[in-house]
Amino acid sequence: MTLVAGRRRPRSRLLLVAAGLFAVAAILAVAALVPRGSSSPARVSPGDPDAQAAQLPPAPKAAFKIGAPVPLARHRDETTWAAVRDDVVARAAPSRSARAVGTLRALTPEATTNIVLPLARRHLWVKVRLPALPNGTTGWVPRAALGAYGTVRTRVIVDVAKRRLTLLKDGRAVLRVPVGVGAPDAPTPRGQFVVRNILTRFSSKFYGPIALGTSARSETLTDWPGGGYVGIHGTDEPGLIPGAVSHGCIRLRNADIVRLARELPIGTPLTIR
């Protein structure tokens, strides 16, 4: 086979041609990025933030719009309660410099978590009713001293004169039972309180199968162990109910206290009138 030899081009000329083609391609690519009819962007001074911001592309549209906050609707018979996280000094006003009116403990005398009912809120302070004498004492505590809020739709009303307990659920009476109340020398205190715990397994039958601890305190038996707190409990003498027979506590027949405890959550407000 015979090969026909041609003139071989120098290698340097080929490299120059390739470089020229690459430069042309680069210029065409840049030109494609510049919108038609627009001139070259003005050079921006590094010290001019307004001019720099003007060169930025427009912000993309939001995927969704966050509306104004709307408070959740509350049930008319709903009550808010909170657990106490730490021992804290309660103040007469929502300020650490205000006069101290008492100490709110994290634990009850039965070593269960203390429960309070918030009455008002101001900034980072909460007004609560203290389990202290005189009954009805209120004070302000830092919100950080309380745990998360809980809610209930139950309420217990004890009518001392009629010697009757009524349990309301969503504003409707679901239980009415006779009770024993305090004798004349140790009356059951009146006021607004809260059910703080449910206790069982007593060594004595005196309290029946269940007792509900409350924030109410006897105003006469102040030297009792734990401070004379009023409970709602069963009894080993059901024949004394109804009557004014206790040291201030509210006694129910055992079947009634079992049913009450089944329907009543912790944090339920208690009205004694």
Side-chain angles (χ1 to χ4, degrees):
M1 180 180 294
T2 302
L3 296 177
V4 179
R7 182 177 295 178
R8 196 171 184 180
R9 294 185 180 181
R11 182 180 180 85
S12 58
R13 180 178 292 181
L14 292 176
L15 292 176
L16 290 174
V17 172
L21 292 175
F22 179 78
V24 172
I27 293 173
L28 293 175
V30 172
L33 296 176
V34 178
R36 294 183 178 179
S38 64
S39 59
S40 300
R43 184 172 295 179
V44 178
S45 172
D48 188 351
D50 294 335
Q52 292 176 351
Q55 298 296 321
L56 297 175
K61 293 183 178 181
F64 63 93
K65 183 178 180 181
I66 300 177
V70 178
L72 297 177
R74 288 178 59 93
H75 193 278
R76 65 178 183 178
D77 297 302
E78 187 174 83
T79 302
T80 300
W81 59 270
V84 183
R85 297 176 55 187
D86 303 296
D87 292 355
V88 61
V89 175
R91 305 285 179 177
S95 170
R96 294 189 183 276
S97 61
R99 176 178 55 87
V101 295
T103 299
L104 182 63
R105 301 293 182 186
L107 297 179
T108 68
E110 299 81 25
T112 63
T113 300
N114 199 2
I115 300 292
V116 292
L117 302 182
L119 305 176
R121 302 172 183 85
R122 186 174 301 171
H123 306 303
L124 298 179
W125 291 77
V126 180
K127 186 178 183 181
V128 299
R129 187 174 288 110
L130 303 175
L133 291 174
N135 287 303
T137 300
T138 60
W140 292 86
V141 299
R143 176 65 183 88
L146 305 179
Y149 290 134
T151 59
V152 295
R153 294 185 181 181
T154 49
R155 178 178 296 274
V156 173
I157 299 175
V158 175
D159 190 318
V160 174
K162 295 181 178 179
R163 297 166 188 173
R164 182 177 64 192
L165 179 148
T166 302
L167 172 64
L168 303 177
K169 181 177 291 187
D170 290 336
R172 181 174 60 88
V174 296
L175 180 67
R176 284 193 180 95
V177 294
V179 297
V181 296
D185 59 342
T188 299
R190 269 80 161 177
Q192 303 293 328
F193 311 102
V194 61
V195 176
R196 303 191 294 182
N197 51 41
I198 298 178
L199 307 172
T200 59
R201 301 180 182 179
F202 296 102
S203 57
S204 172
K205 296 181 180 180
F206 177 81
Y207 296 102
I210 299 175
L212 309 179
T214 80
S215 60
R217 295 184 62 173
S218 171
E219 298 175 352
T220 57
L221 304 178
T222 56
D223 57 343
W224 272 37
Y229 285 94
V230 171
I232 304 174
H233 59 79
T235 181
D236 58 349
E237 296 184 288
L240 298 180
I241 296 174
V245 295
S246 76
H247 292 97
C249 286
I250 300 161
R251 300 184 189 178
L252 281 70
R253 299 182 179 121
N254 289 345
D256 293 336
I257 189 65
V258 169
R259 183 180 174 188
L260 176 65
R262 188 184 303 121
E263 300 284 344
L264 181 148
I266 295 298
T268 295
L270 164 66
T271 299
I272 304 177
R273 62 192 186 192

